[in-house]
Amino acid sequence: MPSHFKNSRNVNIAECTNISATNYNSYTSERSHKSSIKKLQKHVAAGALHNSAERCDAPKCHPETRVAVQDEVDSWICDGDSDDVPKEIMWVTGPAGSGKTAIMGSVADTCQGKGTLGATFFFSSFSGSADRRSKRCFVPTLAYQLVQHDAMDQVAEQILSTIERNPAIFKQRLDAQLDQLILKPLRACRDRPQLLEWPKVILIDGLDECEADQYHDMARSNANPRSKEEDQTEILSVLMKAASDPDFPFRIVIASRPEHAIKRFFAGIAKSLTRELFLDAKYNPDADMRLFLDSKFANIRRESQLPSSWPGKDVRRTLIANASGQFIYIATVGRFMEVSGGDPEELLKQVLQLPGFKASTDALAPLDALYSHILKSSPDPPLSVLWLTLIFREKYLERPAFNFSVSSGPAASFVRLYLESYPGQASHVFRNLNSLVFIPSMEDHKSPYHLYHKSLVDFLQERCRSGNLYVESKVVLEHFVDRYLHLWKTSMRRVIGIPDAAQVAGMSEAD
């Protein structure tokens, strides 16, 4: 070690301890990066990752189905540069129930296996996590996934250093977050040799399910509330900005319904950057649905010891015709028969007796008839629909007053506590509905109820679809307030010691 006192004279030092600190800067940097990762994690929508625990029941393409669509998306991701007119964004779109989320989930798995997956964000307006239907965590969640890539360690350093210098970045606009957390770190590393090992794609699913964030107290402000279309367009704008940047190395795949604002964006300002993939008959969904039904019926035959000829080719043809290209119809039929616990022949007969596609020009009519049939199989259909509407359509139990964390909605145990008039009522209300709703066990005090598909919310929202099952918003609010007042009165009795009716009856008998 070189002397600290070279060329010095007449220096006298007593009891000196010489400390070498050659690794001090490295240690400090490591410690600050750990702190930055913790700050970043607080703003990550963990449930929006394609492989999150929250998405364990999310739809995936059945083996050997939707192969043509998946191959086209994967081919574009890997070899899109060789197209006659290369595009930076692919928009996968189609009507409700056409299998967009299942396709995106399967593509994400394929890309992860190949090492080409950069990041994912799966929006969901009906999942347990509130941050999956908001833009707030969108950019931080993408940045967090880039930090996790071994091949992008230099980019990760840049991202974490940005957070260390500017921890308020998470409160800034989306375009500022994109610049600071993604684009500038990528620019700083553009000449690094590891670029060829970087992943190739970012996948965004369910953009139409992103809801509006409000920044003002609507009760005290004259400001107009933001619309979900404004927030969706803001997300599209930052993605287009990224795709237009020469230092942004990823392709972007966005899946959504063809909602007006989204369709207008891709047909207008982003047209030159976008390749559209519409899920229509060209991709032969009927053949894929036939494979799916064959697999489901084979499982039912084995479990119920039915003959190999069951249920007959005509049945498959009828169900596929009723689906009218919507995988959600076939998937719901499959779940209804698997989890209802009745005689498969009788359950299938019930489905086949419902109004089919030929009975209406509306492609959604068979799905609506199926939803109505399942809901009416509940012991108390009006109450079941009231609960579902309160929880999933109006979302009263997710309002700020309940102070749930951003990352999770109300647990099923809380819903039971709030809505039940007597112990065990939830089991009565949701009986026979487990083909539509995920119902946690009584021992599970954390998991929320969640729907298997957003199309049930669409059904509950439109009187023309749900018919006599439709519940007015006013009725839902009245029930919500009644339950609140009941719980408040009950808690106040306990606080001030007023006996309830049962206790009063007991006192009278004792007298």
Side-chain angles (χ1 to χ4, degrees), residues 70-80 114 251 275:
Q70 293 183 67
D71 284 350
E72 183 165 344
V73 176
D74 186 54
S75 174
W76 177 80
I77 291 168
C78 296
D79 304 309
K114 291 183 173 183
R251 297 192 179 284
R275 173 178 175 178

Side-chain angles (χ1 to χ4, degrees), residues 300 306 310-311 315 337 342-350 352:
I300 294 170
L306 294 168
W310 186 87
V315 169
M337 296 191 63
D343 173 29
E345 186 66 40
E346 176 58 31
L347 293 172
L348 187 57
K349 188 183 298 183
Q350 292 176 22
L352 294 172

Side-chain angles (χ1 to χ4, degrees), residues 414-429:
F414 174 81
V415 174
R416 291 193 293 268
L417 180 67
Y418 193 96
L419 293 181
E420 283 187 338
S421 299
Y422 57 87
Q425 187 181 24
S427 297
H428 177 76
V429 168

